[in-house]
């Protein structure tokens, strides 16, 4: 784990982004843009929103600056529109129609800056029967079929935190969308609206599996396929100390090495014989329960058996490989994932800690030449 002290700003240096504060995938998308070097100004509302934690610990607001604007107060929309004139990208995560009612929708923004890329982050999208309804990650991934892929047959699908929907199906697709639209705007001079819906992105993530279903290579039920726990050499097993090991020994030579190191050479021929899979699963589970997680880690370390320990969030930064790559970094007293991906010519870094609401109003007003931001704050 390293300490981020380098001055690098990343490949998006010079790009200006407005983030209308929200929770979930919008802030994470804006953090990714900020990590890549963009000057992200988060427009916080008085008194919120937030995750219910100290803003100084909200890592999704790192590398950003914050101003506070009450969009419902007289002059609030004008302040944001003043920023929009000078921005390249705006990101908002309101329900459809809310930004328009607040006076900062795409029409108002594009009237002042036709080149602006206006990114809209929602769960259900800008249209459709559920567009005006409330929702959270688990509901979005439920209707796409993605949640139904996860878990053991005969048991309810587990909630996979909010990584699959909010961040993979939402934030990452929004970032791809606004950067593609920014490229178009710089070529054509025309901005546009990017409608990023968690349901769309999450459905798109399952493209390969939909193809496998169509080809008859995937059963549309949980725990019956190669990658969903149905295969005994692709899954997780408990160890003697209550820890777990993850196994992904799919290819023949990796499988052969796996059963050899595990001490089950008699099961070498069970890889493609599904009639032997129940016995193989029981044998693998029994073997893993004979030693601790650390002991099994030592057995498989440095091999191509495709076996790894299941670590907790607090343990992960100290994993030797992640430590060697500086996958996690330490900044301002917070251990956190380092920016990703990596760039050879324009390296990124955690430059600043989480932006505190309103702390950067004067600096942003000066740097963006929007003096009205500070009106009434003297």
């Amino acid at each position: 784990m390293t300490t981020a002290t380098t001055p690098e700003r990343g490949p998006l240096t010079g790009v200006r982004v407005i983030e209308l504060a929200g929770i979930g995938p919008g802030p994470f998308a804006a953090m990714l843009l900020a990590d890549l070097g963009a000057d992200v100004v988060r427009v916080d509302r008085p008194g919120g929103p937030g995750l219910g934690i100290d803003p100084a610990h909200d890592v999704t607001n790192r590398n950003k600056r914050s101003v506070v604007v009450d969009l419902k107060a007289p002059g609030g929309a004008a302040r944001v529109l003043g920023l929009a004139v000078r921005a390249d990208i705006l990101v908002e995560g309101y329900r459809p129609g809310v930004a328009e009612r607040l006076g900062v929708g795409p029409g108002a923004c594009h009237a002042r800056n036709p080149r602006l890329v206006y990114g809209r982050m929602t769960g259900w999208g800008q249209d459709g029967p559920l567009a005006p309804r409330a929702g959270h990650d688990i509901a979005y991934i439920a209707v796409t079929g993605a949640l139904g892929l996860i878990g053991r047959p005969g048991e309810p699908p587990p909630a996979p935190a909010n990584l699959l929907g909010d961040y993979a199906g939402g934030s990452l697709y929004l970032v791809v969308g606004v950067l593609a639209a920014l490229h178009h705007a710089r070529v054509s001079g025309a901005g546009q609206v990017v409608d990023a819906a968690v349901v769309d992105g999450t459905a798109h993530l399952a493209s390969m599996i939909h193809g496998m279903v169509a080809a008859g290579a995937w059963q549309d039920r949980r725990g019956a396929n190669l990658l969903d726990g149905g295969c005994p050499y692709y899954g997780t097993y408990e160890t003697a100390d209550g820890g777990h090991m993850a196994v992904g020994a799919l290819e023949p030579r990796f499988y052969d090495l796996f059963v050899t190191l595990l001490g089950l050479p008699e099961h070498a021929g069970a890889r493609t014989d599904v009639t032997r899979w129940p016995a193989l699963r029981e044998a693998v589970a029994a073997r893993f329960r004979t030693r601790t997680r650390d002991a099994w880690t030592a057995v498989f370390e440095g091999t191509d058996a495709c076996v790894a320990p299941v670590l907790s969030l607090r343990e992960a930064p100290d994993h030797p490989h992640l430590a060697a790559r500086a996958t996690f970094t330490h900044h301002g007293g917070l251990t956190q994932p380092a920016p990703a991906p990596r760039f050879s010519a324009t390296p990124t870094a955690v430059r600043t800690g989480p932006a505190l609401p309103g702390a950067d109003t004067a600096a942003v007003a000066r740097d963006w030449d929007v003096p009205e931001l500070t009106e009434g704050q003297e």
Side-chain angles (χ1 to χ4, degrees):
M1 186 165 54
T2 63
T3 299
T5 58
T6 54
E8 292 89 346
R9 288 191 53 83
L12 293 186
T13 297
V15 173
R16 286 179 167 177
V17 179
I18 302 168
E19 175 198 351
L20 301 185
I23 60 173
F28 186 85
M31 181 202 77
L32 182 50
L33 294 171
D35 283 355
L36 296 177
D39 181 6
V40 176
V41 172
R42 178 178 168 94
V43 180
D44 281 299
R45 66 188 71 168
L51 298 175
I53 64 173
D54 181 351
H57 290 84
D58 186 354
V59 173
T60 62
N61 285 329
R62 72 187 186 191
N63 287 338
K64 303 177 183 178
R65 299 193 285 178
S66 170
V67 302
V68 170
V69 176
D70 185 353
L71 282 168
K72 296 181 179 180
R79 290 184 173 91
V80 171
L81 293 175
L83 289 169
V85 170
R86 293 158 177 81
D88 299 291
I89 298 169
L90 182 147
V91 171
E92 61 95 353
Y94 303 136
R95 294 197 205 189
V98 171
E100 285 83 351
R101 291 196 296 273
L102 292 171
V104 293
C109 289
H110 282 144
R112 290 159 178 79
N113 180 1
R115 300 171 64 92
L116 181 71
V117 172
Y118 196 104
R120 314 199 83 164
M121 183 73 259
T122 60
W124 302 116
Q126 295 298 310
D127 53 34
L130 292 176
R133 301 277 72 84
H136 281 295
D137 176 291
I138 197 164
Y140 309 141
I141 66 175
V143 301
T144 65
L147 182 59
L149 294 171
I150 304 169
R152 298 180 182 277
E155 299 178 7
N162 67 330
L163 304 179
L164 176 57
D166 278 354
Y167 295 149
S171 303
L172 298 186
Y173 279 84
L174 176 63
V175 170
V176 170
V178 296
L179 292 182
L182 178 62
H183 172 72
H184 174 263
R186 291 185 166 177
V187 171
S188 68
Q192 60 181 301
V193 176
V194 177
D195 175 3
V198 174
V199 289
D200 296 346
T202 304
H204 191 262
L205 288 170
S207 295
M208 182 193 76
I209 294 175
H210 278 282
M212 294 177 72
V213 170
W218 188 281
Q219 299 182 57
D220 193 14
R221 57 190 178 90
R222 285 183 289 126
N225 301 284
L226 194 65
L227 303 176
D228 66 354
C231 171
Y233 45 90
Y234 194 91
T236 57
Y237 292 91
E238 186 174 5
T239 56
D241 56 347
H244 295 87
M245 298 295 290
V247 177
L250 292 176
E251 292 79 4
R253 64 190 180 95
F254 301 154
Y255 173 82
D256 290 344
L257 183 58
F258 165 63
V259 293
T260 298
L261 292 174
L262 194 63
L264 297 174
E266 66 274 19
H267 290 277
R271 178 180 168 275
T272 58
D273 185 354
V274 295
T275 65
R276 296 176 60 183
W277 279 10
L280 173 61
R281 188 186 305 279
E282 291 182 8
V284 170
R287 282 293 293 161
F288 271 122
R289 285 195 295 267
T290 64
R291 302 185 190 180
T292 66
R293 187 190 68 179
D294 288 349
W296 283 119
T297 299
V299 168
F300 290 102
E301 190 171 18
T303 76
D304 282 345
C306 301
V307 178
V310 178
L311 303 183
S312 71
L313 292 177
R314 292 188 183 277
E315 290 175 314
D318 293 323
H319 185 274
H321 180 79
L322 304 186
R325 281 185 57 81
T327 298
F328 290 83
T329 189
H330 189 78
H331 186 281
L334 298 176
T335 299
Q336 55 198 284
R342 305 179 186 204
F343 300 85
S344 61
T346 54
T348 57
V350 177
R351 304 181 303 277
T352 63
L356 302 181
D360 308 293
T361 302
V364 172
R366 179 193 67 238
D367 297 344
W368 285 41
D369 191 21
V370 187
E372 59 266 34
L373 275 178
T374 58
E375 291 176 4
Q377 297 190 19
E378 305 345 344

